[in-house]
Structure formats: C-alpha cells, structure tokens
Amino acid sequence: MELRLILGDQLNAGHSWFRNTDPAVCYLLAELRQETDYCRHHRQKVLAFFAAMRAFAAALTKAGHNVCYLTLDESARWPDLPALLEAQIAHHQASSFAWQSPDEWRLANQLAQWAAGLTIPTAEVESEHFLTPRDGWQRYPHSRMEFFYRALRKQYKVLLDQGGQPLGGRWNFDSENRAKLPERQPIPAPLFFANDVQDIDAMLTRHGVKTLGRADAGALPWPLTRRQSRELLDHFLVHCLPHFGRYQDALSEQGWSLFHSRLSFSLNSKMLHPLEVIRAAQSHWQANQTTITLAQVEGFIRQILGWREFVRALYWEKMPEYQSTNFLGADRSLPGFFWNGETKMACVRHAIRQSLEHAYAHHIQRLMVTGNFALLAGIDPDEVDEWYLGIYVDAIEWVELPNTRGMSQFADGGLMGSKPYASSGAYLDRMGHYCKGCHYQVKARSGPQSCPFNSLYWHFLWRHRDKLGANPRLALPYANWDGQPEAQQQAVLATAEQYLIQLEQL
C-alpha cells in the first residue's frame, strides 16, 4: 500500500495521480487543528476549505479511488500533521509514502524534515498546477512583473498575433482600466451557491476553533466543487468580463464584488487550473469582441498569468527570510477597528466591514484602502500579514505574503513594486464615492477633520526620506512637498502626529 497525502489546497482533479485507479494506493485527506490554528481565519474560509475537501474526497471515491478522509473529530487526537501521518502509515501498513509539493513554505519544510526520517520509500511530486516552476524567479525576467508577464505571454501564446507580437500592439492596457464606477452603472448580481455546511460549522464550535467574521453556514456562497467553480467562471465571462478591466480599480459601495470574478478561492484550492481560466477568457473575448474590448480581457489575464505567477516565484525565491523583512522599520500595532470596522473613515470602514461580512475584498480595497492606511500609519508588517492571511477566503501564504508585505507594505524594499503603493485621499476620492458622506474632509490637508490619508501620506514621505528620497518614481511627490510653505508643512506634520497618537479613535 502507498499512502498519498492531499492537502486542503490541492483539490486538483486533473492531477496525473488520478488518471488510473489502483487498489494499492490510498489517498489521505485530513482536517487539522494545525491548519485552523496557525492564524485566526475567517469562519467562511475554514468552512469553505473543509467543505471543498470533503466534496473532493467524495468525488475521488465515486471515481473508484481508495480514500481515507479524517474529519476534525477524527484527527483531533494528533497534535500535528507528522503525528497524524505516522499513525496513518502504521494503520494502513503503508510500504511507501508520497505527497504533492506544498505551496506554503511552512508545510513544505515540515513535511520534508519529517519524511527524511522515514524508513519506507518516499516521493514528492509536483502539484501540476502552476505555469512556472518553483525556481521561476531565476528562469524568467524578474526585475519587474511586466517583463515576467510578457515572457509567459510568449511561452503560452496568450493574446498574440501570428507573428508573436501582442494583440493591439501593446502588452498592457492598464492605462485604460482605471475608470471610476459611474453612480448609475448597473452591477451584475453575484453568483451564490448557498452550500449547506451547518455540520462543519457545528463541528468547529464543538472543537472551540477560534475564527473571525461572519458566516451563514446554511448558505455558504463560495464554490466548493469543480462544477460550481466552472459555473462561477462562466458567470464571470458572460456578466462581468465586458466591464471588468475598465472598472477593476473602482471603489464603490454599490456592490461587494462589482465586476470581479471571485475565482481566487477556486484557483488557490486548485479546483480550477490557471491556464484553463486564461484560455476560457481569451476564447470568450474572441467570440464577443463587439461587447468585450481587448483591454477588458487583458486586464483580467494579467492578474492570473502575470501577478499570480510572479508573486509565487518571488515567494519561493526569498523564503523564509522574506517573512521577516521590514525595510521601513514599521512597528505600530494594528488598530482595533481592523477587527470590527468601527472607524469614522468611510472607505476603511466599508472595506473592513465587507471583509468581515464576505471574507472578500477586491485588490484595490486590499491595496489602496486597508493596505494603504497600514503603510502610511507604519503598522508592523507582522500584524498586517496576520490580518490579511486570516480574513480572506482566498488567502494562502504564498500569494498573501508577497502581496501584503511586499506590494502593499513595501517591507521588502522594492522587490514586488518599484515604489510604495501610498496615496493621499485624492486617489480614494478619484476612484470611489466614499468621500461625499465621510466624517473627514478629503480636500483638507491638516486640521482636526482633515482626511487622515492626506497628512499621513505626507508624514510617511517625510519620515522615510532617507530610504525613499532617491526613488525616481517619488521625485514628483517630494518636489511637491518641498514646494509647500513651511507653515503648511508644519501644520500637516502636526496633524499627522496627532492622528498617529490617536489611531484607535480615527
């Protein structure tokens, strides 16, 4: 008997393991306290992963495979994954053990160290999911995501003409995909699946698993199977892709998913393959060019073929040191309102409350609202990491860590992005509608009711000038600061200092 481990984010029905059935192979899936407890997760996240794992195990069994599935009730007797595996190897009298390469460094390290001590043959195989290998950082241009992305476009022949050049004569249509959402723009209703996971919810309560956020266990909206994931992909292509690129950066209270696909959970759990999604998007665009522009589909494909593969390559190249980088020396504590949304800042309040309600926020809410605030306020990146890793249904460390610590908090000193993604309230006002009803005044740079993003932005640049002053992409903001009257500068800095003292009350 060979025992093969399948982790909770390895629900890949297309893996070569499953091409044939073999009674001498047993597939092991287990719900683990080790995984519920390494950070405090959103309840919807735990429910979704456990439910998707159960559905995958059932599908394997139906296909004729030999499956051993351990619920939390059954696995709780073992303190961690190695202890459970040792017991299962003995129970099944396994003569060999195999596992797919984990995508998180902590699990890869844990399994490799444990397996090295086994006396039976072992084998580690690829997960057969990503479009680049673990050492992709060394194999592809990595100075910036754009060049990494172009290399992959060429390799996989995505959005290219017959001569291998980018369709439309450009690699990137980002400049056309930054529109503010009109107030009367119709928004497609999100596709929900209403999965009943009340049994899992009761189990989490029974075991005292600590979670955050809210969940309707009788109607969990996330796709839990490959079939549901394909339905969500089709829904996106038909109803959202026609406007996706144009409004992908828009901030709005009109809807919590807007034109975004919400496919990240299906992708990160491997129920969908990235190339499958990319090909489907390109084919749908080709058949509907009267209603979908090239800019819309390119903006979507770049998120998967570009950013997703790039962050994974960076993660595996720089771990484990990457998880402790803190280039700007940020050390303030995360304000309490990140856990309850009780803040007077309208944009931050909406982003956090939406995250607590739906375990989801789109990339600009994560980067330019909550992330931007944490960056400007100098929040310890360890605490920011923990929050992002826990609160989102799609958050797995390989994708969360570079996006948070690197792109959002600039803690890596510029590996992910060439400059900090910092902005004042003007950007938030330009991309959204929050400012009209906010307690703070977005036009005011200083004073007790001025938008905190304004003074904190200038204070951020001022206090980090030794590290950021030579950055060519920040030359204009620093020139702007230097051109301001000294009295105005002092008023801005004084306001920022006061806001930093009273972060909890903002």
Side-chain angles (χ1 to χ4, degrees):
M1 176 69 71
E2 176 167 278
L3 189 66
R4 293 179 176 176
L5 174 66
I6 301 174
L7 297 173
D9 63 343
Q10 295 177 339
L11 311 182
N12 179 9
H15 196 279
S16 59
W17 267 359
F18 311 125
R19 288 175 187 164
N20 302 296
T21 58
D22 185 346
V25 170
C26 179
Y27 293 101
L28 172 65
L29 296 90
E31 300 165 4
L32 297 169
R33 283 304 296 263
Q34 169 186 298
E35 297 307 295
T36 64
D37 295 356
Y38 71 86
C39 81
R40 190 180 178 192
H41 301 284
H42 199 291
R43 199 165 189 86
Q44 289 187 40
K45 180 182 180 182
V46 181
L47 291 171
F49 269 104
F50 282 1
M53 289 168 62
R54 293 185 181 190
F56 188 70
L60 289 181
T61 301
K62 185 177 181 180
H65 296 286
N66 182 15
V67 179
C68 174
Y69 191 94
L70 300 176
T71 68
L72 201 60
D73 286 332
E74 298 163 308
S75 70
R77 72 188 73 172
W78 297 291
D80 56 19
L81 179 58
L84 179 145
L85 290 175
E86 288 175 8
Q88 292 305 305
I89 286 175
H91 174 73
H92 292 281
Q93 296 182 327
S95 56
S96 61
F97 174 75
W99 72 100
Q100 295 179 27
S101 297
D103 291 315
E104 291 187 304
W105 185 88
R106 64 181 181 86
L107 283 170
N109 186 56
Q110 182 186 46
L111 276 171
Q113 289 188 359
W114 169 78
L118 289 179
T119 57
I120 59 175
T122 64
E124 180 178 4
V125 302
E126 291 293 325
S127 67
E128 302 176 10
H129 174 79
F130 292 94
L131 304 180
T132 55
R134 271 190 184 177
D135 62 351
W137 188 258
Q138 297 298 332
R139 297 195 189 193
Y140 298 89
H142 59 250
S143 60
R144 287 292 167 251
M145 187 282 292
E146 180 68 25
F147 305 109
F148 193 95
Y149 167 58
R150 293 180 187 183
L152 291 179
R153 284 267 297 270
K154 293 176 182 177
Q155 178 180 343
Y156 288 97
K157 298 179 174 55
V158 176
L159 298 179
L160 300 180
D161 61 23
Q162 294 294 325
Q165 296 303 306
L167 292 177
R170 292 160 55 189
W171 291 103
N172 188 316
F173 288 83
D174 200 32
S175 61
E176 297 178 22
N177 291 340
R178 296 170 179 163
K180 183 174 185 174
L181 190 73
E183 292 191 23
R184 296 185 179 181
Q185 172 68 44
I187 305 296
L191 176 62
F192 292 152
F193 294 100
N195 294 296
D196 188 341
V197 293
Q198 294 179 80
D199 55 338
I200 302 178
D201 189 66
M203 181 188 68
L204 298 182
T205 300
R206 192 163 60 247
H207 285 271
V209 175
K210 295 181 179 179
T211 58
L212 58 93
R214 290 173 287 278
D216 180 354
L220 192 70
W222 298 101
L224 303 180
T225 64
R226 174 165 170 77
R227 180 185 61 80
Q228 289 184 343
S229 298
R230 287 288 310 181
E231 286 183 33
L232 187 58
L233 171 59
D234 292 342
H235 178 272
F236 166 72
L237 296 177
V238 173
H239 299 286
C240 302
L241 185 57
H243 295 294
F244 169 79
R246 182 177 300 108
Y247 301 125
Q248 67 174 319
D249 288 359
L251 296 166
S252 175
E253 294 177 287
Q254 296 181 52
W256 67 275
S257 62
L258 302 180
F259 295 97
H260 294 272
S261 73
R262 295 189 296 116
L263 290 169
S264 50
F265 175 73
S266 294
L267 280 164
N268 293 353
S269 60
K270 300 182 180 58
M271 291 187 288
L272 291 178
H273 191 279
L275 197 58
E276 167 189 18
V277 176
I278 290 167
R279 299 292 191 215
Q282 180 167 339
S283 295
H284 189 79
W285 162 72
Q286 288 172 330
N288 297 275
Q289 294 187 44
T290 57
T291 56
I292 304 173
T293 68
L294 177 59
Q296 311 307 304
V297 71
E298 189 277 322
F300 175 68
I301 287 175
R302 179 160 21 98
Q303 289 191 351
I304 299 174
L305 187 59
W307 280 115
R308 191 170 186 267
E309 295 290 331
F310 182 72
V311 299
R312 177 176 180 265
L314 171 60
Y315 176 84
W316 281 107
E317 176 70 17
K318 302 300 180 181
M319 284 293 284
E321 295 79 13
Y322 194 84
Q323 64 188 342
S324 59
T325 55
N326 191 356
F327 176 72
L328 298 176
D331 59 2
R332 288 187 178 86
S333 296
L334 193 71
F337 56 73
F338 268 73
W339 305 102
N340 55 35
E342 294 178 5
T343 171
K344 296 188 289 291
M345 294 177 286
C347 57
V348 177
R349 179 174 64 244
H350 178 251
I352 292 174
R353 288 183 177 178
Q354 176 185 308
S355 301
L356 291 168
E357 181 72 23
H358 299 290
Y360 175 83
H362 67 71
H363 65 280
I364 293 299
Q365 289 177 299
R366 301 188 198 194
L367 178 65
M368 299 307 300
V369 181
T370 51
N372 184 22
F373 179 83
L375 173 67
L376 299 182
I379 306 302
D380 188 329
D382 288 346
E383 296 193 27
V384 182
D385 276 340
E386 183 179 4
W387 187 79
Y388 276 98
L389 184 59
I391 201 168
Y392 293 120
V393 69
D394 54 20
I396 301 175
E397 190 185 69
W398 69 264
V399 66
E400 176 276 328
L401 190 64
N403 273 305
T404 299
R405 191 172 286 263
M407 189 175 181
S408 172
Q409 300 305 295
F410 206 70
D412 65 4
L415 290 173
M416 266 293 288
S418 57
K419 73 175 183 68
Y421 278 86
S423 80
S424 65
Y427 173 85
L428 301 170
D429 190 30
R430 185 167 66 251
M431 297 306 299
H433 305 281
Y434 301 111
C435 299
K436 290 181 180 179
C438 186
H439 169 83
Y440 296 102
Q441 303 300 313
V442 69
K443 302 297 184 183
R445 291 190 173 191
S446 60
Q449 216 170 335
S450 60
C451 174
F453 281 91
N454 291 338
S455 57
L456 290 178
Y457 171 75
W458 293 113
H459 191 277
F460 170 81
L461 292 179
W462 171 78
R463 73 177 183 269
H464 292 303
R465 190 160 196 165
D466 59 329
K467 294 181 177 179
L468 303 177
N471 188 314
R473 295 194 64 192
L474 294 176
L476 190 60
Y478 276 112
N480 184 324
W481 173 254
D482 292 338
Q484 296 176 28
E486 183 177 356
Q488 181 173 301
Q489 289 180 340
Q490 293 304 314
V492 167
L493 295 179
T495 299
E497 292 284 357
Q498 186 60 38
Y499 281 160
L500 290 172
I501 292 172
Q502 60 185 53
L503 277 181
E504 295 287 351
Q505 287 75 49
L506 291 183

